[in-house]
Short mmCIF file of all heavy atoms in Angstrom, two decimals:
data_model
loop_
_atom_site.label_atom_id
_atom_site.label_comp_id
_atom_site.label_asym_id
_atom_site.label_seq_id
_atom_site.Cartn_x
_atom_site.Cartn_y
_atom_site.Cartn_z
N ASP A 1 131.83 61.85 -124.20
CA ASP A 1 131.31 60.61 -124.79
C ASP A 1 131.33 59.43 -123.84
O ASP A 1 130.53 58.52 -124.00
CB ASP A 1 132.12 60.26 -126.05
CG ASP A 1 131.88 61.25 -127.18
OD1 ASP A 1 130.88 61.98 -127.13
OD2 ASP A 1 132.70 61.31 -128.11
N SER A 2 132.19 59.42 -122.84
CA SER A 2 132.24 58.30 -121.91
C SER A 2 130.99 58.26 -121.03
O SER A 2 130.70 57.23 -120.44
CB SER A 2 133.51 58.33 -121.06
OG SER A 2 133.48 59.39 -120.13
N PHE A 3 130.26 59.37 -120.94
CA PHE A 3 129.03 59.41 -120.17
C PHE A 3 127.80 59.08 -121.00
O PHE A 3 126.69 59.02 -120.47
CB PHE A 3 128.84 60.80 -119.51
CG PHE A 3 129.93 61.14 -118.54
CD1 PHE A 3 130.96 62.00 -118.92
CD2 PHE A 3 129.94 60.60 -117.28
CE1 PHE A 3 131.97 62.32 -118.03
CE2 PHE A 3 130.96 60.92 -116.38
CZ PHE A 3 131.97 61.78 -116.75
N ARG A 4 127.99 58.87 -122.26
CA ARG A 4 126.86 58.60 -123.16
C ARG A 4 126.56 57.10 -123.27
O ARG A 4 125.62 56.70 -123.93
CB ARG A 4 127.12 59.18 -124.55
CG ARG A 4 127.29 60.68 -124.59
CD ARG A 4 126.10 61.48 -124.13
NE ARG A 4 124.97 61.24 -124.97
CZ ARG A 4 123.71 61.56 -124.66
NH1 ARG A 4 123.47 62.11 -123.49
NH2 ARG A 4 122.72 61.32 -125.46
N LEU A 5 127.38 56.26 -122.64
CA LEU A 5 127.17 54.81 -122.57
C LEU A 5 126.98 54.15 -123.94
O LEU A 5 126.16 53.28 -124.11
CB LEU A 5 125.97 54.48 -121.66
CG LEU A 5 126.13 54.95 -120.21
CD1 LEU A 5 124.88 54.62 -119.41
CD2 LEU A 5 127.35 54.31 -119.57
N ALA A 6 127.74 54.62 -124.91
CA ALA A 6 127.72 54.07 -126.27
C ALA A 6 126.36 54.14 -126.94
O ALA A 6 126.08 53.41 -127.87
CB ALA A 6 128.24 52.64 -126.27
N MET A 7 125.51 55.01 -126.44
CA MET A 7 124.18 55.20 -127.06
C MET A 7 124.31 56.24 -128.15
O MET A 7 125.08 57.18 -128.03
CB MET A 7 123.18 55.67 -125.99
CG MET A 7 122.97 54.68 -124.87
SD MET A 7 122.27 53.12 -125.38
CE MET A 7 120.64 53.58 -125.80
N PRO A 8 123.54 56.06 -129.21
CA PRO A 8 123.56 57.08 -130.28
C PRO A 8 122.99 58.41 -129.72
O PRO A 8 122.17 58.39 -128.80
CB PRO A 8 122.65 56.52 -131.36
CG PRO A 8 121.83 55.49 -130.68
CD PRO A 8 122.59 54.99 -129.51
N ASP A 9 123.45 59.51 -130.26
CA ASP A 9 122.95 60.81 -129.83
C ASP A 9 121.47 60.96 -130.18
O ASP A 9 121.05 60.57 -131.28
CB ASP A 9 123.75 61.94 -130.50
CG ASP A 9 125.09 62.16 -129.86
OD1 ASP A 9 125.35 61.61 -128.78
OD2 ASP A 9 125.89 62.90 -130.45
N ASP A 10 120.72 61.55 -129.26
CA ASP A 10 119.36 61.91 -129.57
C ASP A 10 119.38 63.33 -130.14
O ASP A 10 120.44 63.97 -130.25
CB ASP A 10 118.48 61.80 -128.35
CG ASP A 10 119.00 62.58 -127.13
OD1 ASP A 10 119.66 63.63 -127.35
OD2 ASP A 10 118.77 62.15 -126.00
N GLU A 11 118.22 63.83 -130.54
CA GLU A 11 118.16 65.16 -131.14
C GLU A 11 118.70 66.22 -130.20
O GLU A 11 119.40 67.15 -130.62
CB GLU A 11 116.71 65.49 -131.54
CG GLU A 11 116.58 66.81 -132.27
CD GLU A 11 117.39 66.86 -133.57
OE1 GLU A 11 117.54 65.82 -134.24
OE2 GLU A 11 117.87 67.96 -133.90
N GLY A 12 118.40 66.12 -128.91
CA GLY A 12 118.90 67.10 -127.94
C GLY A 12 120.42 67.12 -127.88
O GLY A 12 121.03 68.19 -127.87
N MET A 13 121.04 65.94 -127.85
CA MET A 13 122.51 65.89 -127.79
C MET A 13 123.12 66.44 -129.06
O MET A 13 124.15 67.13 -129.01
CB MET A 13 122.98 64.44 -127.52
CG MET A 13 124.41 64.37 -127.09
SD MET A 13 124.68 65.15 -125.49
CE MET A 13 126.21 65.98 -125.78
N ARG A 14 122.50 66.19 -130.20
CA ARG A 14 123.01 66.76 -131.46
C ARG A 14 122.94 68.30 -131.40
O ARG A 14 123.86 68.98 -131.84
CB ARG A 14 122.23 66.20 -132.64
CG ARG A 14 122.64 64.81 -133.01
CD ARG A 14 122.05 64.34 -134.36
NE ARG A 14 120.60 64.19 -134.28
CZ ARG A 14 119.98 63.10 -133.82
NH1 ARG A 14 120.67 62.07 -133.36
NH2 ARG A 14 118.66 63.05 -133.80
N THR A 15 121.87 68.82 -130.82
CA THR A 15 121.73 70.28 -130.69
C THR A 15 122.86 70.85 -129.83
O THR A 15 123.46 71.85 -130.18
CB THR A 15 120.35 70.63 -130.07
OG1 THR A 15 119.35 70.17 -130.96
CG2 THR A 15 120.23 72.13 -129.83
N ILE A 16 123.16 70.19 -128.72
CA ILE A 16 124.22 70.66 -127.83
C ILE A 16 125.59 70.55 -128.50
O ILE A 16 126.40 71.48 -128.43
CB ILE A 16 124.20 69.89 -126.50
CG1 ILE A 16 122.88 70.16 -125.74
CG2 ILE A 16 125.42 70.20 -125.64
CD1 ILE A 16 122.64 71.62 -125.43
N ARG A 17 125.86 69.44 -129.18
CA ARG A 17 127.14 69.30 -129.90
C ARG A 17 127.29 70.38 -130.95
O ARG A 17 128.37 70.94 -131.13
CB ARG A 17 127.27 67.91 -130.51
CG ARG A 17 127.52 66.82 -129.49
CD ARG A 17 127.79 65.50 -130.24
NE ARG A 17 127.72 64.36 -129.38
CZ ARG A 17 128.70 63.96 -128.59
NH1 ARG A 17 129.85 64.60 -128.55
NH2 ARG A 17 128.55 62.88 -127.85
N ASN A 18 126.21 70.67 -131.68
CA ASN A 18 126.26 71.72 -132.71
C ASN A 18 126.54 73.08 -132.07
O ASN A 18 127.25 73.90 -132.65
CB ASN A 18 124.97 71.73 -133.52
CG ASN A 18 124.86 70.57 -134.44
OD1 ASN A 18 125.85 69.92 -134.80
ND2 ASN A 18 123.62 70.24 -134.83
N ALA A 19 125.95 73.33 -130.89
CA ALA A 19 126.22 74.61 -130.23
C ALA A 19 127.69 74.73 -129.85
O ALA A 19 128.31 75.77 -130.08
CB ALA A 19 125.34 74.73 -129.00
N PHE A 20 128.25 73.65 -129.29
CA PHE A 20 129.68 73.68 -128.96
C PHE A 20 130.53 73.91 -130.21
O PHE A 20 131.47 74.70 -130.19
CB PHE A 20 130.12 72.40 -128.27
CG PHE A 20 129.92 72.42 -126.77
CD1 PHE A 20 128.99 71.59 -126.18
CD2 PHE A 20 130.66 73.26 -125.96
CE1 PHE A 20 128.82 71.59 -124.81
CE2 PHE A 20 130.50 73.28 -124.60
CZ PHE A 20 129.56 72.46 -124.01
N ALA A 21 130.21 73.21 -131.28
CA ALA A 21 131.01 73.30 -132.51
C ALA A 21 130.94 74.70 -133.12
O ALA A 21 131.94 75.20 -133.64
CB ALA A 21 130.53 72.27 -133.52
N SER A 22 129.79 75.34 -133.01
CA SER A 22 129.62 76.66 -133.60
C SER A 22 130.10 77.79 -132.70
O SER A 22 130.27 78.92 -133.13
CB SER A 22 128.15 76.91 -133.95
OG SER A 22 127.39 77.08 -132.76
N GLY A 23 130.27 77.47 -131.41
CA GLY A 23 130.66 78.49 -130.43
C GLY A 23 129.50 79.34 -129.96
O GLY A 23 129.70 80.32 -129.26
N LYS A 24 128.28 78.96 -130.35
CA LYS A 24 127.11 79.71 -129.94
C LYS A 24 126.41 79.02 -128.77
O LYS A 24 126.51 77.81 -128.60
CB LYS A 24 126.13 79.80 -131.13
CG LYS A 24 126.69 80.55 -132.31
CD LYS A 24 125.71 80.59 -133.45
CE LYS A 24 126.32 81.31 -134.63
NZ LYS A 24 125.48 81.25 -135.80
N PRO A 25 125.69 79.78 -127.96
CA PRO A 25 124.92 79.16 -126.87
C PRO A 25 123.87 78.20 -127.42
O PRO A 25 123.38 78.39 -128.54
CB PRO A 25 124.25 80.35 -126.16
CG PRO A 25 125.02 81.53 -126.59
CD PRO A 25 125.56 81.23 -127.96
N GLY A 26 123.51 77.21 -126.65
CA GLY A 26 122.49 76.26 -127.05
C GLY A 26 121.73 75.71 -125.88
O GLY A 26 122.19 75.81 -124.72
N ALA A 27 120.56 75.17 -126.14
CA ALA A 27 119.74 74.58 -125.10
C ALA A 27 118.92 73.45 -125.70
O ALA A 27 118.50 73.54 -126.86
CB ALA A 27 118.84 75.62 -124.45
N ALA A 28 118.72 72.40 -124.92
CA ALA A 28 117.94 71.27 -125.40
C ALA A 28 117.54 70.38 -124.23
O ALA A 28 118.14 70.45 -123.15
CB ALA A 28 118.73 70.45 -126.41
N GLU A 29 116.55 69.56 -124.47
CA GLU A 29 116.19 68.51 -123.52
C GLU A 29 116.75 67.21 -124.09
O GLU A 29 116.60 66.92 -125.27
CB GLU A 29 114.68 68.43 -123.39
CG GLU A 29 114.22 67.52 -122.27
CD GLU A 29 112.74 67.65 -122.03
OE1 GLU A 29 112.30 68.61 -121.42
OE2 GLU A 29 112.01 66.73 -122.49
N LEU A 30 117.45 66.45 -123.25
CA LEU A 30 118.07 65.21 -123.73
C LEU A 30 118.10 64.15 -122.67
O LEU A 30 117.88 64.43 -121.49
CB LEU A 30 119.49 65.50 -124.24
CG LEU A 30 120.46 66.22 -123.30
CD1 LEU A 30 121.19 65.24 -122.43
CD2 LEU A 30 121.43 67.02 -124.12
#
């Protein structure tokens, strides 16, 4: 989060966070 510069997540970042949370691989453009 310290690299996100207090910006809200875009759709790509939400996809990546969901992949981490689920333990499944993920890919996105962000």
Side-chain angles (χ1 to χ4, degrees):
D1 292 341
S2 70
F3 297 102
R4 299 298 297 164
L5 299 178
M7 299 297 290
D9 282 349
D10 54 31
E11 185 59 33
M13 194 65 221
R14 283 190 292 278
T15 298
I16 296 302
R17 287 186 194 279
N18 288 339
F20 273 113
S22 71
K24 296 179 182 174
E29 190 171 281
L30 53 88

